[in-house]
Amino acid sequence: MPSCALQLIWSRRLPEIRRRGTTLDTLVKAGKVRYLGASNLSASQLQRSQDLAHRNGWEPYVSLQPLYNLLAREVEWELVPVSLAEGVGVIPWSPLQGGWLTGKYRRGMTAAEPGTREARYQRELGREAWRERDNEETWRVVEAVVAVAEEAGRTPAQVALRWLLGRPGVTAPIVGARTPGQLADSLGSTGWELTPDQAARLDAASERPLPYPYDVLHRFRDREPQD
């Protein structure tokens, strides 16, 4: 039985892109794999891959697996627009940012509780994971998610996932449930919608200052060309 989909980590080198293109195309045409996807690449890498596939008659990528959530929206700058233009479905990984968007962490805490994913990351990777997230930007988003959850009668995780499900290009987040309860909670993000006001509040809380050149492009996007 062929694999339903094959997700690949990207390479920067053009020769390897070409080699992979021919190999992957062979796998699809031989019936070993049905669909191709990629993970953790830049917009230019995705576009180059699609261009090569179309030019050579290879099977193109149909899905992109990026980091995307209310605390990590950088993919919206280029990756999502390229995905939309190329017909590539976005299936985000870490939609709850390792538990930060579940409501388990609150302002004033000084460390992750033992047994949580964040505590394991800190222990295994030897980095100050908590210190990297313990800032005003994080708590502003977390508190907005919690407030909307209380208002909507949902859990914070369901609100964070519902917001992501409503983003352009997103087909389905990849949830990392470790227990049946977590899976049930995640599935509760379907079958309802955020109100426009709730979505706008989450957008505003999670908005980040745009770096160059995105800030310039954003300022001029609605202006008419000048003669």
Side-chain angles (χ1 to χ4, degrees), residues 64-159:
L64 171 68
Q65 185 178 320
L67 172 64
Y68 190 14
N69 57 61
L70 277 162
L71 289 169
R73 295 180 58 184
E74 291 81 0
V75 296
E76 295 175 355
W77 301 345
E78 287 192 354
L79 269 172
V80 169
V82 170
S83 297
L84 289 170
E86 291 293 325
V88 175
V90 179
I91 49 175
W93 61 269
S94 195
L96 299 176
Q97 193 60 50
W100 280 92
L101 295 170
T102 65
K104 69 172 69 174
Y105 306 129
R106 302 297 178 95
R107 190 190 296 267
M109 293 177 64
T110 57
E113 295 181 357
T116 61
R117 185 172 300 177
E118 192 68 18
R120 189 177 76 250
Y121 286 164
Q122 187 166 344
R123 183 180 68 253
E124 294 177 355
L125 301 180
R127 60 184 177 86
E128 291 296 328
W130 183 270
R131 209 173 284 178
E132 293 173 8
R133 280 289 175 196
D134 185 11
N135 56 57
E136 183 59 33
E137 289 183 350
T138 294
W139 298 124
R140 183 173 65 246
V141 174
V142 169
E143 288 166 0
V145 170
V146 170
V148 169
E150 292 175 350
E151 180 182 301
R154 301 286 176 171
T155 66
Q158 289 170 354
V159 167

Side-chain angles (χ1 to χ4, degrees), residues 4-199:
C4 290
L6 179 63
Q7 296 288 139
L8 296 173
I9 304 299
W10 194 251
S11 169
R12 292 179 180 273
R13 295 175 295 176
L14 183 58
E16 185 156 334
I17 294 173
R18 289 175 173 152
R19 284 197 298 272
R20 282 191 177 187
T22 56
T23 300
L24 296 173
D25 184 63
T26 299
L27 288 173
V28 173
K29 289 177 178 175
K32 304 295 184 182
V33 176
R34 294 186 186 276
Y35 304 105
L36 300 176
S39 178
N40 298 330
L41 41 60
S42 69
S44 64
Q45 290 168 337
L46 175 59
Q47 187 66 68
R48 179 165 37 179
S49 171
Q50 299 299 83
D51 289 346
L52 283 171
H54 297 319
R55 188 181 309 148
N56 292 284
W58 301 336
E59 191 72 18
Y61 289 126
V62 299
S63 67
L64 171 68
Q65 185 178 320
L67 172 64
Y68 190 14
N69 57 61
L70 277 162
L71 289 169
R73 295 180 58 184
E74 291 81 0
V75 296
E76 295 175 355
W77 301 345
E78 287 192 354
L79 269 172
V80 169
V82 170
S83 297
L84 289 170
E86 291 293 325
V88 175
V90 179
I91 49 175
W93 61 269
S94 195
L96 299 176
Q97 193 60 50
W100 280 92
L101 295 170
T102 65
K104 69 172 69 174
Y105 306 129
R106 302 297 178 95
R107 190 190 296 267
M109 293 177 64
T110 57
E113 295 181 357
T116 61
R117 185 172 300 177
E118 192 68 18
R120 189 177 76 250
Y121 286 164
Q122 187 166 344
R123 183 180 68 253
E124 294 177 355
L125 301 180
R127 60 184 177 86
E128 291 296 328
W130 183 270
R131 209 173 284 178
E132 293 173 8
R133 280 289 175 196
D134 185 11
N135 56 57
E136 183 59 33
E137 289 183 350
T138 294
W139 298 124
R140 183 173 65 246
V141 174
V142 169
E143 288 166 0
V145 170
V146 170
V148 169
E150 292 175 350
E151 180 182 301
R154 301 286 176 171
T155 66
Q158 289 170 354
V159 167
L161 290 170
R162 181 67 259 170
W163 176 87
L164 193 55
L165 282 164
R167 304 306 292 176
V170 173
T171 57
I174 300 173
V175 296
R178 292 184 295 124
T179 67
Q182 289 178 352
L183 178 59
D185 187 29
S186 296
L187 293 176
S189 62
T190 63
W192 62 283
E193 299 290 342
L194 294 166
T195 67
D197 176 69
Q198 291 167 344

